[in-house]
Amino acid sequence: MSEFGFQEMQDIQKELQEKYKERWGGLSPEKGRDSLLWMMIEAGEVADIIKKQGDAKITGDEQVRNHFIEELCDVLMYLNDVMLCYSISPEELAQIYREKHERNMKRW
């Protein structure tokens, strides 16, 4: 299986955004704010599955696991929308992510 990364995710999101541009209003910083709020709601749905189903079902019940992963995908989709709205490339994200990792490795 090939690696699935932010570039492919953003390509998929661009395709989706283009398809529904008239309905959703396109990409802009204002839409980025909305996408961030929707992402937080989706993260809450992920947390709700953990709370209501528990770790054992997420790791052991295929239906619960698939629902959990689907909700995580929603979080990632909105994250990619936020990145697109603020013109954050996968390369820029990777650079800052690595820099943040280096700082975190030296924290304690």
Side-chain angles (χ1 to χ4, degrees):
M1 178 184 268
S2 65
E3 185 175 321
F4 183 68
F6 273 99
Q7 186 60 58
E8 188 174 351
M9 284 187 238
Q10 282 200 340
D11 291 344
I12 289 169
Q13 283 308 109
K14 285 177 189 176
E15 179 182 32
L16 190 63
Q17 285 292 335
E18 188 59 36
K19 180 174 181 171
Y20 296 108
K21 187 176 186 176
E22 296 298 318
R23 174 175 260 174
W24 294 348
L27 298 168
S28 67
E30 294 79 20
K31 292 291 180 182
R33 273 186 263 132
D34 293 344
S35 292
L36 182 62
L37 293 174
W38 283 109
M39 183 183 76
M40 293 169 66
I41 291 167
E42 293 297 339
E45 291 181 16
V46 171
D48 198 46
I49 295 170
I50 294 170
K51 179 181 175 185
K52 291 181 179 175
Q53 300 294 331
D55 300 330
K57 280 195 174 179
I58 292 169
T59 58
D61 181 313
E62 185 177 357
Q63 186 175 356
V64 173
R65 183 176 183 79
N66 286 343
H67 183 218
F68 181 73
I69 294 169
E70 184 178 311
E71 294 301 334
L72 286 173
C73 288
D74 287 342
V75 172
L76 287 172
M77 288 176 173
Y78 280 113
L79 174 62
N80 274 283
D81 281 345
V82 171
M83 290 172 60
L84 289 168
C85 286
Y86 287 99
S87 301
I88 299 169
S89 70
E91 296 80 17
E92 187 177 13
L93 179 75
Q95 176 187 343
I96 302 298
Y97 192 99
R98 288 180 182 115
E99 291 170 5
K100 178 70 173 179
H101 173 70
E102 287 299 316
R103 284 195 311 274
N104 286 339
M105 290 299 289
K106 297 173 184 172
R107 283 181 105 171
W108 294 288

